[in-house]
Amino acid sequence: MMISKRLSELRKRKQWSLQYIADQLNIAKSTYAGYESGYRQPSLEAVKELATLFGTTTDYLLGTTDEEQPSIELTLPTVRLTVDGEAVTEDEIIQLIAFIRAKRDIENKK
Amino acid sequence: MMISKRLSELRKRKQWSLQYIADQLNIAKSTYAGYESGYRQPSLEAVKELATLFGTTTDYLLGTTDEEQPSIELTLPTVRLTVDGEAVTEDEIIQLIAFIRAKRDIENKK
DNA sequence: ATGAATGTACGCGAATCGCGAACGAATGTA
DNA sequence: TACATTCGTTCGCGATTCGCGTACATTCAT
């Protein structure tokens, strides 16, 4: 059960008690404990609230992604990127990638 | 029920039948129909599979975000960006933003 | 016209959710 | 040292609701 593992890790890192989280979500301590042990599955609503509480995404909690913070590979068809609210064009993204690579190249040759 | 609305929209846009989705997830047609009508809630596992099937995120399905594709404003503290799997530094992001703005400036003055 | 496919709704049995309670272990307090 | 509090774990119970098969009306295609 991926979500129980993720919840357990996050809570321990933040050094929060079961009771604290239960209070935040307005559920019983034993209920949340069930989530971490894998004995119970949180409702969809609870998953959303837990993601907010832990400052992560539901995709991370559910194990769809391993990135705790939404991290994006800057590559072509993948992402829609904006600057000042305006979409960066594909050509511009190509240039950005080239720029970063060139910069790293120079760094590595120092 | 946000997820039922999202599922319904996505399926209609793709012009998929209830049966098709049910087959993909190995569940009964009536089960998936319950998700769209709001009569039932999908399991966490089903939510993951649906996000994959529709090519979106669980955060979008659950209504945590309104962005169907993770689209991001290229600004400082927001996101972790990578090129070739390696994180782009803050300084580099600043340079990228400046680059895009300068480029647009030139375009606008033509 | 008729057979297949679609979307919708319902009842049933089984699964499981959320809760309170109880427990030992660890920690804090007088 | 005694005692209370907090912590994490586990269990049984009642209530919820999940997933399935089924049935039905509608639409589509032959």
Side-chain angles (χ1 to χ4, degrees), chain B residues 94-107:
Chain B
I94 292 176
Q95 294 175 10
L96 296 185
I97 295 173
F99 173 73
I100 294 294
R101 284 183 178 151
K103 190 159 172 297
R104 287 176 180 169
D105 234 37
I106 294 173
E107 290 294 322

Side-chain angles (χ1 to χ4, degrees), chain A residues 2-3 41-45 47-48 51-52 56-60 62-64 67 69-75 78-89 91-93 95-97 99-101 103-104, chain B residues 2-3 41-45 47-48 51-52 56-60 62-64 67 69-75 78-89 91-93 95-97 99-101 103-104:
Chain A
M2 177 62 72
I3 190 169
Q41 284 215 333
S43 69
L44 300 185
E45 193 53 37
V47 172
K48 282 178 60 178
T52 300
T56 183
T57 67
T58 64
D59 286 281
Y60 178 74
L62 299 183
T64 301
E67 313 269 355
Q69 298 302 327
S71 153
I72 306 186
E73 170 70 14
L74 189 53
T75 173
T78 329
V79 216
R80 215 183 80 93
L81 205 64
T82 65
V83 168
D84 303 325
E86 195 179 339
V88 178
T89 69
D91 284 347
E92 287 169 339
I93 291 180
Q95 293 175 13
L96 295 185
I97 295 173
F99 173 75
I100 294 295
R101 285 185 178 148
K103 191 159 172 299
R104 287 177 180 168
Chain B
M2 178 62 72
I3 190 169
Q41 284 215 332
S43 69
L44 299 185
E45 193 54 35
V47 172
K48 282 178 60 177
T52 299
T56 183
T57 66
T58 65
D59 286 282
Y60 178 74
L62 299 184
T64 301
E67 313 268 355
Q69 298 301 328
S71 153
I72 52 169
E73 169 71 14
L74 188 53
T75 173
T78 329
V79 215
R80 215 182 80 92
L81 205 66
T82 65
V83 169
D84 304 325
E86 193 179 339
V88 178
T89 69
D91 285 345
E92 287 168 339
I93 291 180
Q95 294 175 10
L96 296 185
I97 295 173
F99 173 73
I100 294 294
R101 284 183 178 151
K103 190 159 172 297
R104 287 176 180 169

